[in-house]
Amino acid sequence: MSTLTLGIIVIVYIFILAWLGWMGYKRTKNSSDYLLGDRKINPMIMALSYGATFISTSAIVGFGGVAATFGMGIQWLCALNMFMGVIVAFIFFGQKTRRLGVKHDARTFPQLMGLHYNSPLIKQICAGVVFVGMPLYAAVVMKGGAVFIEQVFDMDMNIALFIFTVVVAIYVITGGIKGVLYTDALQGIIMFVSLLFILIWFYKIMDMGFIEANRNLTNIAHLVPDRLKEVGHQGWTAMPVTGSPQWYTLVTSLIMGVGIGCLAQPQLVVRFMMVENGKQLNRGILIGCIFIFFTVGSIYHVGAMSNLFFLKTEGMIASELVNDIDRIIPYYIDKAMPSWFGAIFMLCMLSASMSTLSAQFHTMGAAFGADAFPKLGRSKNPNSTMGVRIGVLISIIVSYIICYALSASIIARGTALFMGVCAATFLPAYFCSLYCKWVTKEGALASISIGAVSSLFAMLFLHKAEAAPIGLCKALFGRDVLIEAYPWPMIDPLLFALPLSVIAIIVVSLMTKKRP
Amino acid sequence: MFGIDDPGIWLAYLLAFACLIFSVGYGIVFWNKDNKNEKEEEE
């Protein structure tokens, strides 16, 4: 399909987004609308937005490429996204979060924590972690979206990044959360339809059933390259060797990191507070699980199966045909799918990036304008949205600068970094705010502080994937990590920081007075 | 199961399918039902 045709499709898509952003703008009257949609968001829109926010380009192209290279072990990510990220989150966290939000009239996650524990300091720390940590995560998503545009349109990366950022910025700043949710719903539908089609098309062109294809993939395990066997690869329908580098990455960073981290993501938690009552969340469970099953479940499965396709058509497995993991899925799309599907997939990738990015911009803006500086822009009108809009703009600029300033190797870790920091920092205090009346303000504060500090320490000095590119440990101690003995450098920071955060909330709460 | 020998893999698929079935069933059963605690709070 020609660049002109693709360009026209993108322009039409952007106009639709602009219209949805405009609708959000017209329906936003005050800060409650801007932050939470006045707690009356349709559950289908909320659930689609939740799923679309959850799944970014890196989840589709990045982890899809991991599935193509390393196999079906990555499906644990899909299973845990559904189990922890939707079922446990909505039922055990969402219902109580929604009621707690109403009780305290909280409009952001930091506000929820601060008001519940009666501590402005907790609110400020939570807002600070969001505003300092999330730009790195946002920079990852921005980079992914811009790289994609650069490839599809053969455009200069700087221009691609600028255009991409400006488009998202416009509908987030003007439309607020309603603009974000309406566009997310459209983007979620595009993602759902296109990824489901990829799954169906695979079985059509390979002319085999689900079980037969799995058996065929098992039977080519002997084709795993030696360089991948060395890190634990045993075939595309087998888990890596227990204790191997690939096993540690899969289990500690992906399975445990995402499986636990997804429960304490501020931009996801806040969505629980947007619906009117509990049954809206019940409806969201059905929509959320179906969405994740047929989006990431499909692409991870097809990613692994792409090896069968490439063997049949080109006589090689995916990782030998395409060196760069991130380019395997786009290559598969180019070779396996009908020519017209390229445009649909392009919209799918743009949608995945934009939906995640818009939620991040809005959450960061809220942390800045509603939590850290609540009086900003409100000297004359306490319900003014100006402060949050300024916060969104500043967040975008900071993320944009980070996208340029940091190296690719650090930015590539941004998703895992942020998820891990959120889990260790927020999860114990968040969980206890819902279930443990005996936890004190001091205990929550200790947990949040220790979670944040220990996460940072582990990233800078213990976990090689972050410590090596950052280089601080090397500069101070002459080595990439403090503990070089295997497997310590492979263990995700979450496994150090979260236990410390849990111990802190229990011990300090027991040592201090009960909350009145 | 599912033509896959390694339980470490087919368990992931089983969990995903189980979550899908559970969520569909849960969503249908509780589509119009408010949470019990909510009703008590409203009263």
Side-chain angles (χ1 to χ4, degrees):
Chain A
M1 189 171 282
S2 72
T3 305
L4 177 64
T5 309
L6 291 174
I8 292 170
I9 291 171
V10 170
I11 289 169
V12 169
Y13 174 68
I14 289 173
F15 268 108
I16 296 173
L17 293 182
W19 176 70
L20 290 170
W22 174 252
M23 276 179 56
Y25 172 74
K26 293 297 285 180
R27 295 176 186 187
T28 298
K29 305 296 178 199
N30 51 48
S31 61
S32 180
D33 282 340
Y34 195 88
L35 293 170
L36 280 184
D38 206 25
R39 303 182 198 274
K40 289 180 181 171
I41 297 298
N42 179 287
M44 279 203 69
I45 290 178
M46 187 280 287
L48 279 171
S49 172
Y50 187 94
T53 297
F54 208 159
I55 309 301
S56 68
T57 312
S58 62
I60 297 171
V61 169
F63 292 141
V66 168
T69 305
F70 292 103
M72 290 175 168
I74 198 82
Q75 281 291 23
W76 277 105
L77 202 54
C78 171
L80 285 175
N81 283 349
M82 295 170 74
F83 181 68
M84 297 295 282
V86 179
I87 293 172
V88 169
F90 276 60
I91 295 175
F92 297 104
F93 286 75
Q95 298 282 2
K96 284 181 175 278
T97 301
R98 196 199 64 77
R99 289 197 297 276
L100 201 64
V102 171
K103 176 183 170 187
H104 292 300
D105 193 25
R107 296 168 187 186
T108 68
F109 178 76
Q111 279 182 17
L112 185 72
M113 292 292 97
L115 288 167
H116 177 75
Y117 287 108
N118 194 25
S119 169
L121 181 58
I122 285 178
K123 184 184 83 165
Q124 294 289 345
I125 294 174
C126 291
V129 170
V130 170
F131 195 72
V132 170
M134 197 175 266
L136 185 58
Y137 182 17
V140 174
V141 181
M142 288 166 77
K143 194 92 170 186
V147 164
F148 187 76
I149 296 170
E150 177 196 40
Q151 290 169 354
V152 171
F153 293 102
D154 196 24
M155 185 187 283
D156 178 73
M157 172 67 176
N158 297 323
I159 297 173
L161 181 63
F162 182 76
I163 293 173
F164 181 70
T165 305
V166 165
V167 169
V168 179
I170 288 172
Y171 71 76
V172 175
I173 292 174
T174 53
I177 196 61
K178 288 187 177 180
V180 170
L181 291 170
Y182 296 159
T183 52
D184 279 357
L186 168 69
Q187 289 158 344
I189 291 168
I190 292 171
M191 289 161 67
F192 182 86
V193 169
S194 41
L195 294 172
L196 178 60
F197 185 79
I198 289 174
L199 177 70
I200 294 169
W201 192 258
F202 170 80
Y203 287 104
K204 179 184 180 308
I205 58 172
M206 295 300 289
D207 194 26
M208 56 177 76
F210 178 68
I211 292 176
E212 182 190 359
N214 292 343
R215 286 211 181 100
N216 288 341
L217 192 60
T218 302
N219 293 339
I220 64 166
H222 61 281
L223 296 178
V224 173
D226 290 339
R227 62 181 173 85
L228 295 181
K229 283 182 188 170
E230 286 168 11
V231 294
H233 199 323
Q234 300 193 97
W236 291 273
T237 60
M239 288 288 281
V241 173
T242 304
S244 65
Q246 180 57 21
W247 185 89
Y248 273 104
T249 300
L250 182 66
V251 173
T252 69
S253 286
L254 297 182
I255 293 175
M256 295 189 71
V258 176
I260 296 171
C262 64
L263 290 173
Q265 293 288 295
Q267 72 277 22
L268 298 178
V269 171
V270 76
R271 274 151 175 76
F272 298 141
M273 299 195 286
M274 291 178 188
V275 294
E276 203 168 6
N277 51 46
K279 66 183 173 191
Q280 311 280 27
L281 286 174
N282 294 335
R283 296 170 183 177
I285 292 171
L286 184 154
I287 297 156
C289 268
I290 290 175
F291 180 86
I292 289 175
F293 186 87
F294 287 111
T295 50
V296 292
S298 293
I299 198 65
Y300 297 165
H301 187 74
V302 172
M305 288 294 168
S306 67
N307 289 284
L308 290 180
F309 172 81
F310 289 127
L311 262 181
K312 178 181 174 184
T313 56
E314 306 201 34
M316 296 168 78
I317 57 168
S319 57
E320 285 182 330
L321 203 52
V322 183
N323 286 329
D324 185 348
I325 279 185
D326 289 342
R327 293 183 191 271
I328 294 176
I329 294 298
Y331 187 75
Y332 172 82
I333 300 296
D334 188 42
K335 296 295 179 187
M337 305 303 291
S339 58
W340 52 263
F341 187 78
I344 308 292
F345 188 68
M346 175 193 63
L347 288 183
C348 177
M349 292 299 97
L350 286 176
S351 295
S353 288
M354 286 176 156
S355 54
T356 302
L357 199 56
S358 61
Q360 291 165 337
F361 285 165
H362 185 271
T363 303
M364 287 189 284
F368 186 90
D371 299 325
F373 301 100
K375 292 182 182 169
L376 184 65
R378 291 186 187 169
S379 54
K380 291 179 183 174
N381 177 8
N383 272 322
S384 170
T385 59
M386 187 57 60
V388 186
R389 285 189 161 119
I390 292 171
V392 172
L393 180 61
I394 292 172
S395 309
I396 293 168
I397 293 170
V398 169
S399 303
Y400 190 73
I401 292 170
I402 287 174
C403 208
Y404 272 106
L406 294 186
S407 74
S409 55
I410 298 173
I411 287 179
R413 301 295 305 172
T415 307
L417 276 175
F418 186 70
M419 282 225 170
V421 168
C422 281
T425 306
F426 300 140
L427 189 56
Y430 173 43
F431 176 83
C432 289
S433 72
L434 305 177
Y435 288 99
C436 306
K437 292 194 166 92
W438 51 270
V439 164
T440 64
K441 172 172 67 177
E442 292 79 9
L445 195 55
S447 171
I448 288 168
S449 307
I450 286 172
V453 169
S454 55
S455 290
L456 192 62
F457 180 84
M459 283 172 212
L460 292 175
F461 296 103
L462 298 177
H463 192 222
K464 191 169 182 179
E466 288 94 34
I470 292 171
L472 182 62
C473 190
K474 184 93 174 183
L476 292 176
F477 302 105
R479 46 191 170 175
D480 286 337
V481 290
L482 285 179
I483 307 172
E484 291 179 317
Y486 186 85
W488 295 101
M490 303 297 302
I491 298 174
D492 194 87
L494 178 69
L495 269 66
F496 298 112
L498 184 58
L500 289 174
S501 182
V502 170
I503 291 168
I505 202 168
I506 294 171
V507 169
V508 177
S509 292
L510 290 174
M511 288 167 59
T512 50
K513 284 192 296 186
K514 280 192 178 180
R515 294 175 67 240
Chain B
M1 185 179 273
F2 306 129
I4 298 168
D5 296 330
D6 189 342
I9 299 294
W10 58 251
L11 271 172
Y13 278 89
L14 190 63
L15 179 60
F17 281 121
C19 287
L20 183 68
I21 294 166
F22 173 86
S23 65
V24 171
Y26 188 95
I28 291 171
V29 168
F30 289 94
W31 190 262
N32 279 316
K33 286 187 183 173
D34 271 321
N35 185 276
K36 179 185 161 192
N37 290 336
E38 243 175 70
K39 284 186 187 166
E40 288 170 356
E41 283 173 11
E42 284 168 12
E43 286 162 10

